[in-house]
Amino acid sequence: MINSTFGLTITFSRKKLRLTLLVLAFTLLFPLSACANNVKQPALPPPEEGKANVVGKVQSSQGEPYQNFNVRLAEVYWQGETGAYVLDESFSPGGISDADGRFQILNVPAGEYVVVLGEPNQEYKTVTDSNDVLKRITVVAGETFDLGTITFDY
């Protein structure tokens, strides 16, 4: 029995009190446990004026993500119909994959690029299509370019 200063008397049995507390605890904790499995990626910030974002995922042919893996963009230059890509170790845009193999390259200048995977001064790979031709991407200012999942063996 609980007496309040307002003259109100509330009577609980121990069994009803336990049941009420159990229902209350379940109601509060269940939604929190359901949210724990729905971990979302952090929101991608919008690119700076005149720039874009590039996102994707890198994984092995067995589906294992490459963690802490360098993903760089080499700019493509054209002279007539002949093109070349240039990867500048200091200035080419790049990012590093997370534990799930996902990467973000933020504020990339608009232009045409080739995707380079790995260490530029050591072993690296370029992304190619099914005919083993370099895959070029065109990055448009103000947009996010999703490379999807890049599967390869390193």
Side-chain angles (χ1 to χ4, degrees):
M1 181 184 304
I2 300 174
N3 291 317
S4 72
T5 56
F6 300 108
L8 180 65
T9 303
I10 302 172
T11 306
F12 287 106
S13 72
R14 287 184 182 210
K15 190 175 183 180
K16 279 187 176 179
L17 181 60
R18 274 192 233 139
L19 181 62
T20 303
L21 291 175
L22 182 62
V23 169
L24 180 62
F26 180 76
T27 305
L28 293 175
L29 294 178
F30 182 72
L32 295 177
S33 65
C35 293
N37 294 328
N38 296 327
V39 177
K40 290 187 176 182
Q41 295 293 326
L44 194 64
E48 294 175 358
E49 183 75 29
K51 297 188 178 180
N53 293 329
V54 177
V55 298
K57 180 179 178 177
V58 287
Q59 69 179 23
S60 71
S61 59
Q62 289 78 35
E64 294 297 318
Y66 286 113
Q67 300 175 11
N68 300 317
F69 201 82
N70 284 318
V71 180
R72 307 287 301 260
L73 300 177
E75 192 166 1
V76 176
Y77 292 93
W78 291 95
Q79 184 172 1
E81 291 195 23
T82 304
Y85 66 90
V86 177
L87 182 65
D88 184 319
E89 210 177 319
S90 299
F91 297 107
S92 290
I96 297 177
S97 64
D98 65 12
D100 296 322
R102 299 187 188 287
F103 62 88
Q104 300 176 351
I105 306 173
L106 305 178
N107 299 313
V108 177
E112 190 174 20
Y113 295 92
V114 171
V115 180
V116 178
L117 308 166
E119 293 292 332
N121 287 331
Q122 298 172 13
E123 185 181 349
Y124 68 90
K125 290 184 178 267
T126 51
V127 176
T128 57
D129 64 16
S130 59
N131 296 321
D132 209 28
V133 175
L134 282 177
K135 186 174 182 181
R136 298 184 315 266
I137 63 168
T138 301
V139 176
V140 179
E143 295 183 6
T144 295
F145 190 94
D146 189 347
L147 289 168
T149 300
I150 302 169
T151 302
F152 64 99
D153 290 313
Y154 190 69

